[in-house]
Amino acid sequence: MKGRITLSLIKPYAVKNGYAGQILAIINEAGFRISAMKYIQLSTNQAKKFYAIHNGQNYFDKLVNFITEGPVVVLLLEKEDAVASYRKLIGATDPHKAEDGTLRKLFGASIELNAVHGSDSDENAIRESNFFFSETERF
Ligand code: ATP
Ligand code: MG
């Protein structure tokens, strides 16, 4: 059975440019329920842990720098088949390749500044939601 949760980050670039409100509105209109949300700045250590799977890639240091350069909005989202549904809403990793109307097409600037993160599997959705939220922070 497909999972009902996914974890999203509105990345610092998008927050800094004032896109968070519009992104939240689109997420709501797409039928996701926000079951937890926080506004925080990640430490370098937290970012390295969050992106551990990318450690060793040539873009790893840049990735850590971009995600820690300012606050992010962390969202735990709920919907049927949440992971796939949200990946569809955000579009391809590279905004230039993302479909029209997707969050990355609308608000991303480049593969590094691609506005939002979305979990890529049910397993990672659970791992990432436990990384950011305790039980009492979920509604
Ligand atoms: P995210 O995990 O942020 O939702 P994604 O699952 O579409 O994005 P991943 O392959 O998990 O893509 O890459 C994580 C992040 O690393 C991307 O969002 C992007 O910012 C960065 N990244 C991935 N590939 C590259 C690359 N070739 N060059 C530069 N940055 C990259
Ligand atoms: Mg990913």
Side-chain angles (χ1 to χ4, degrees), residues 8-61:
S8 180
L9 301 176
I10 302 177
K11 298 185 181 185
Y13 166 83
V15 171
K16 191 171 61 192
N17 283 282
Y19 302 146
Q22 290 172 78
I23 290 172
L24 283 168
I26 291 169
I27 289 170
N28 272 317
E29 278 158 23
F32 291 88
R33 193 180 76 81
I34 297 172
S35 46
M37 173 159 72
K38 56 174 70 161
Y39 187 51
I40 54 168
Q41 184 159 5
L42 296 181
S43 68
T44 299
N45 271 342
Q46 276 178 306
K48 283 182 175 170
K49 253 188 226 166
F50 181 73
Y51 278 133
I53 201 161
H54 299 278
N55 201 338
Q57 302 292 336
N58 58 2
Y59 56 82
F60 184 68
D61 289 348

Side-chain angles (χ1 to χ4, degrees), residues 11 50-51 53-54 58-59 62-63 87 90-94 104 110-114 116-120 128:
K11 298 185 181 185
F50 181 73
Y51 278 133
I53 201 161
H54 299 278
N58 58 2
Y59 56 82
K62 268 204 215 167
L63 187 58
R87 298 281 290 188
I90 69 181
T93 309
D94 182 348
R104 284 170 165 168
S110 65
I111 192 162
E112 286 104 358
L113 303 176
N114 60 2
V116 289
H117 161 81
S119 306
D120 61 10
E128 292 171 2

